[in-house]
Amino acid sequence: AAVAMFTGKANCPYYAKAELLADYLQTNLPNFRVHKITQHPDKWEQWLHDIRETNGWEHSQSPIIWRELLDRGGKGQLLGGLNDFLEYAQQYYGITSMMLSEEMLDIAEENLQTHLEIVKEDEEIKSLIKPMQIWITSASVPICYHLIPLLANGEVFGMATEISIHLLDTDQFKEILHSIVMEAEDLAFPLLRSISEHTELDQAFIDADIVIVLDDVLLNLEVQPLENYIREVSEICQVYAPLIEKNAKSEVKVISSGKTFANLKATMLRTYGPSIRPENIIAIATSWESAAKAMLARKLNMNTAGVKDVIVWGNITGSNYIDLSHAKLYGYDCAIWGPANFQRPLLNMIYDSEWIHSEFLSAQSTLSSRVSRCTGMLPAHAVATVLRYWYHGSPSEEIISVGILSEGQFCVPEGIIFSMPVRFQNGNWEVMTELEINETTQKVLERLSHELVQEKLVALKEINEMHPYEAE
């Protein structure tokens, strides 16, 4: 069993003659099969060179014709060009072509026009399927490893959206990136169009729709003062921000996550990337929300999913405040029952007010330890959740804490990334300024704001000292 393979230039009259004879043989002979590969004239020479190199054949003209022997694993047996095929057809089947030269030229012209139309149609179809381009920095960290399946399974962007993931890190992590790429490819997610590794910074963020910044610094204040770590974060952002401006799409969404300086990274990316839309730079606070809800659920002996509207204020990975004044419980097992949407204020259900004021509020160091020690599942889930909300909206009336650029809401100074309550809808977010906050919370926000303003000033001071001419 064999298939005759025909390849030639779309405008070649000899290819046209061979093609017509092949069609006749396929129509009239039950065991004769033909497969045609038409090449654009501009691509013909390179294609011919490649197939000759692959198979070790000697042939230099259009068309090139061979038999693929199916019972030998598709191994190719070269027949040659037009004359060789005419001889083959005459010898084996007693059939020859009587096509005239003028007819050959007409069919060749028709072949070229048809080929160009097919190529154009294919390109138009491909242009409609544009995968979302996602870039992840410091991609060798465990968060990234856990994040990839969450992004690729269709739940974040929808089952109709293909994605391409680009992993960016330094040369020293090239082998780790390569391993992640191979494993992700082996998972064969239908919506993952491609995944690739990158170590060249000048090529970073090309056509990015989303940039997820996972860079962290290993804090050890016994070795170096805090200012040195702030300088390190600022330097990273000073590299990334102009590249995002230059290479990414104009509507790029930039997400800061990680274990340290989540707010500062977002603030510095905004500072050094002034053309990036300010509302498109956010820091992820959902890990803290989740950890606090879990701690409360354990106290109340209930499902964590029933705890809603816990607010994280301030510096997500630094000094923050877990606010329970708006928190609600759904499906809580007590004397009063109601439908699924029936909710109760959390503070009314925890009768042990001493636990709230002593153990829970003082347990923020415990929460910090839990969040910082996590292996990557929690922050990865947090990033995926916020992205899903950003593209498809957050649950109606539910409070989501996100680090966003302050415009003075809740009396927080402008120009810093500050975690506050938002809702997502129609591809955007809005601050829930209608929430009332008590005097105690307002004083805490003033203190947290002051800390973040000082952190930003230190970052700018460090950079200005290093680059005085640029600062001027």
Side-chain angles (χ1 to χ4, degrees), residues 7-8 12 44-45 48 52 59-65 80-82:
T7 303
C12 171
W44 165 251
E45 292 297 336
L48 180 61
R52 285 201 319 246
H59 188 83
S60 57
Q61 295 175 336
S62 170
I64 179 172
I65 304 164
L82 172 62

Side-chain angles (χ1 to χ4, degrees), residues 12 75 118 230 235 243 246 282 296 303 356 384 398 403 425 438 455 468:
C12 171
K75 183 178 178 181
I118 291 170
I230 291 176
E235 288 174 348
L243 286 168
K246 176 185 173 185
I282 67 171
L296 291 162
N303 189 331
I356 289 290
E398 192 170 320
Q425 56 187 11
N438 57 38
E455 190 176 79

Side-chain angles (χ1 to χ4, degrees), residues 201-422:
L201 264 177
D202 59 337
Q203 299 297 311
F205 313 123
I206 289 178
D207 291 331
D209 292 289
I210 297 169
V211 174
I212 302 170
V213 179
L214 300 181
D215 296 69
D216 266 321
V217 294
L218 187 61
L219 277 176
N220 187 343
L221 298 179
E222 294 178 3
V223 176
Q224 291 188 78
L226 185 64
E227 289 78 5
N228 288 15
Y229 296 110
I230 291 176
R231 174 190 297 166
E232 193 177 331
V233 171
S234 296
E235 288 174 348
I236 291 168
C237 296
Q238 199 174 26
V239 171
Y240 286 163
L243 286 168
I244 295 171
E245 287 184 303
K246 176 185 173 185
N247 294 337
K249 290 177 183 166
S250 59
E251 298 294 307
V252 62
K253 291 177 168 61
V254 182
I255 292 173
S256 172
S257 184
K259 298 179 181 180
T260 58
F261 296 110
N263 292 55
L264 182 64
K265 282 184 289 188
T267 300
M268 290 296 99
L269 288 167
R270 169 64 189 148
T271 302
Y272 297 120
S275 71
I276 304 170
R277 288 182 63 186
E279 62 270 29
N280 280 5
I281 303 178
I282 67 171
I284 302 295
T286 316
S287 296
W288 282 86
E289 271 187 19
S290 300
K293 289 174 182 177
M295 187 174 180
L296 291 162
R298 285 192 294 272
K299 173 69 176 176
L300 292 161
N301 193 28
M302 66 176 291
N303 189 331
T304 306
V307 184
K308 307 285 187 184
D309 299 346
V310 172
I311 303 173
V312 180
W313 296 95
N315 190 356
I316 295 162
T317 51
S319 297
N320 60 40
Y321 172 58
I322 309 295
D323 180 5
L324 304 182
S325 61
H326 298 274
K328 302 176 186 68
L329 302 179
Y330 292 80
Y332 181 52
D333 187 6
C334 65
I336 302 173
W337 282 79
N341 62 349
F342 180 61
Q343 44 88 1
R344 308 163 178 79
L346 179 142
L347 293 179
N348 290 358
M349 296 295 104
I350 298 183
Y351 302 106
D352 187 356
S353 59
E354 187 62 31
W355 181 85
I356 289 290
H357 292 102
S358 59
E359 286 189 45
F360 180 79
L361 293 179
S362 65
Q364 292 209 32
S365 59
T366 306
L367 281 175
S368 176
S369 175
R370 289 179 71 90
V371 172
S372 62
R373 284 206 318 268
C374 68
T375 58
M377 281 190 290
L378 179 59
H381 182 264
V383 170
T385 300
V386 171
L387 272 172
R388 186 174 79 249
Y389 291 163
W390 208 342
Y391 280 87
H392 300 292
S394 54
S396 176
E397 302 304 316
E398 192 170 320
I399 298 172
I400 311 298
S401 303
V402 176
I404 53 102
L405 187 68
S406 169
E407 294 180 349
Q409 303 96 330
F410 304 108
C411 299
V412 173
E414 295 182 21
I416 56 172
I417 298 289
F418 195 90
S419 182
M420 56 181 76
V422 307

